[in-house]
mmCIF file of all heavy atoms in Angstrom:
data_model
loop_
_atom_site.group_PDB
_atom_site.id
_atom_site.type_symbol
_atom_site.label_atom_id
_atom_site.label_comp_id
_atom_site.label_asym_id
_atom_site.label_seq_id
_atom_site.Cartn_x
_atom_site.Cartn_y
_atom_site.Cartn_z
ATOM 1 N N ALA B 277 14.399 0.126 37.346
ATOM 2 C CA ALA B 277 14.856 -1.231 37.047
ATOM 3 C C ALA B 277 15.796 -1.222 35.849
ATOM 4 O O ALA B 277 16.786 -1.964 35.811
ATOM 5 C CB ALA B 277 13.656 -2.140 36.780
ATOM 6 N N LYS B 278 15.504 -0.369 34.870
ATOM 7 C CA LYS B 278 16.386 -0.284 33.705
ATOM 8 C C LYS B 278 17.740 0.265 34.109
ATOM 9 O O LYS B 278 18.777 -0.208 33.647
ATOM 10 C CB LYS B 278 15.754 0.616 32.638
ATOM 11 C CG LYS B 278 14.714 -0.116 31.824
ATOM 12 C CD LYS B 278 14.272 0.693 30.624
ATOM 13 C CE LYS B 278 13.269 -0.111 29.815
ATOM 14 N NZ LYS B 278 12.434 0.728 28.969
ATOM 15 N N ARG B 279 17.723 1.269 34.977
ATOM 16 C CA ARG B 279 18.991 1.869 35.399
ATOM 17 C C ARG B 279 19.827 0.846 36.158
ATOM 18 O O ARG B 279 21.048 0.808 36.041
ATOM 19 C CB ARG B 279 18.714 3.103 36.262
ATOM 20 C CG ARG B 279 19.899 4.049 36.306
ATOM 21 C CD ARG B 279 19.610 5.288 37.129
ATOM 22 N NE ARG B 279 18.394 5.967 36.720
ATOM 23 C CZ ARG B 279 17.568 6.563 37.572
ATOM 24 N NH1 ARG B 279 17.794 6.516 38.859
ATOM 25 N NH2 ARG B 279 16.485 7.175 37.134
ATOM 26 N N LEU B 280 19.163 0.015 36.925
ATOM 27 C CA LEU B 280 19.894 -0.977 37.718
ATOM 28 C C LEU B 280 20.345 -2.169 36.870
ATOM 29 O O LEU B 280 21.173 -2.970 37.309
ATOM 30 C CB LEU B 280 19.002 -1.460 38.871
ATOM 31 C CG LEU B 280 19.669 -2.221 39.997
ATOM 32 C CD1 LEU B 280 20.638 -1.319 40.741
ATOM 33 C CD2 LEU B 280 18.632 -2.767 40.967
ATOM 34 N N GLY B 281 19.801 -2.284 35.676
ATOM 35 C CA GLY B 281 20.209 -3.400 34.814
ATOM 36 C C GLY B 281 19.458 -4.690 35.079
ATOM 37 O O GLY B 281 19.928 -5.769 34.725
ATOM 38 N N VAL B 282 18.272 -4.601 35.711
ATOM 39 C CA VAL B 282 17.463 -5.804 35.920
ATOM 40 C C VAL B 282 16.291 -5.826 34.932
ATOM 41 O O VAL B 282 15.413 -6.676 34.996
ATOM 42 C CB VAL B 282 16.944 -5.920 37.366
ATOM 43 C CG1 VAL B 282 18.071 -6.267 38.295
ATOM 44 C CG2 VAL B 282 16.276 -4.625 37.804
ATOM 45 N N LEU B 283 16.309 -4.860 34.019
ATOM 46 C CA LEU B 283 15.308 -4.786 32.964
ATOM 47 C C LEU B 283 15.995 -4.091 31.789
ATOM 48 O O LEU B 283 16.858 -3.244 32.000
ATOM 49 C CB LEU B 283 14.113 -3.953 33.439
ATOM 50 C CG LEU B 283 12.836 -3.985 32.606
ATOM 51 C CD1 LEU B 283 12.188 -5.354 32.663
ATOM 52 C CD2 LEU B 283 11.841 -2.949 33.112
ATOM 53 N N GLY B 284 15.643 -4.474 30.580
ATOM 54 C CA GLY B 284 16.281 -3.864 29.415
ATOM 55 C C GLY B 284 17.215 -4.841 28.716
ATOM 56 O O GLY B 284 16.925 -6.032 28.640
ATOM 57 N N GLU B 285 18.344 -4.325 28.229
ATOM 58 C CA GLU B 285 19.278 -5.178 27.480
ATOM 59 C C GLU B 285 20.189 -5.935 28.442
ATOM 60 O O GLU B 285 20.597 -5.407 29.470
ATOM 61 C CB GLU B 285 20.146 -4.314 26.553
ATOM 62 C CG GLU B 285 19.369 -3.391 25.626
ATOM 63 C CD GLU B 285 18.402 -4.144 24.732
ATOM 64 O OE1 GLU B 285 18.831 -5.156 24.137
ATOM 65 O OE2 GLU B 285 17.225 -3.753 24.637
ATOM 66 N N ASN B 286 20.520 -7.137 28.077
ATOM 67 C CA ASN B 286 21.494 -7.964 28.811
ATOM 68 C C ASN B 286 21.299 -7.904 30.321
ATOM 69 O O ASN B 286 22.158 -7.441 31.074
ATOM 70 C CB ASN B 286 22.919 -7.545 28.464
ATOM 71 C CG ASN B 286 23.178 -7.691 26.979
ATOM 72 O OD1 ASN B 286 23.091 -6.710 26.244
ATOM 73 N ND2 ASN B 286 23.413 -8.892 26.529
ATOM 74 N N ILE B 287 20.151 -8.416 30.732
ATOM 75 C CA ILE B 287 19.797 -8.350 32.152
ATOM 76 C C ILE B 287 20.768 -9.177 32.995
ATOM 77 O O ILE B 287 21.083 -10.322 32.652
ATOM 78 C CB ILE B 287 18.348 -8.838 32.351
ATOM 79 C CG1 ILE B 287 17.412 -7.882 31.618
ATOM 80 C CG2 ILE B 287 17.988 -8.928 33.810
ATOM 81 C CD1 ILE B 287 15.992 -8.328 31.561
ATOM 82 N N CYS B 288 21.228 -8.607 34.085
ATOM 83 C CA CYS B 288 22.150 -9.255 35.009
ATOM 84 C C CYS B 288 23.385 -9.800 34.283
ATOM 85 O O CYS B 288 23.902 -10.866 34.646
ATOM 86 C CB CYS B 288 21.466 -10.377 35.795
ATOM 87 S SG CYS B 288 20.067 -9.835 36.755
ATOM 88 N N GLY B 289 23.821 -9.109 33.247
ATOM 89 C CA GLY B 289 25.039 -9.527 32.548
ATOM 90 C C GLY B 289 24.873 -10.777 31.697
ATOM 91 O O GLY B 289 25.859 -11.332 31.218
ATOM 92 N N THR B 290 23.632 -11.232 31.500
ATOM 93 C CA THR B 290 23.422 -12.411 30.645
ATOM 94 C C THR B 290 23.038 -11.943 29.241
ATOM 95 O O THR B 290 22.972 -10.745 28.971
ATOM 96 C CB THR B 290 22.273 -13.289 31.194
ATOM 97 O OG1 THR B 290 21.068 -12.521 31.131
ATOM 98 C CG2 THR B 290 22.541 -13.714 32.615
ATOM 99 N N THR B 291 22.753 -12.868 28.352
ATOM 100 C CA THR B 291 22.367 -12.485 26.996
ATOM 101 C C THR B 291 20.868 -12.199 26.902
ATOM 102 O O THR B 291 20.372 -11.841 25.848
ATOM 103 C CB THR B 291 22.696 -13.612 26.002
ATOM 104 O OG1 THR B 291 22.089 -14.815 26.495
ATOM 105 C CG2 THR B 291 24.188 -13.790 25.863
#
Side-chain angles (χ1 to χ4, degrees):
Chain B
K278 279 190 178 158
R279 201 178 307 144
L280 195 65
V282 288
L283 192 68
E285 307 302 313
N286 301 98
I287 296 172
C288 301
T290 64
T291 53

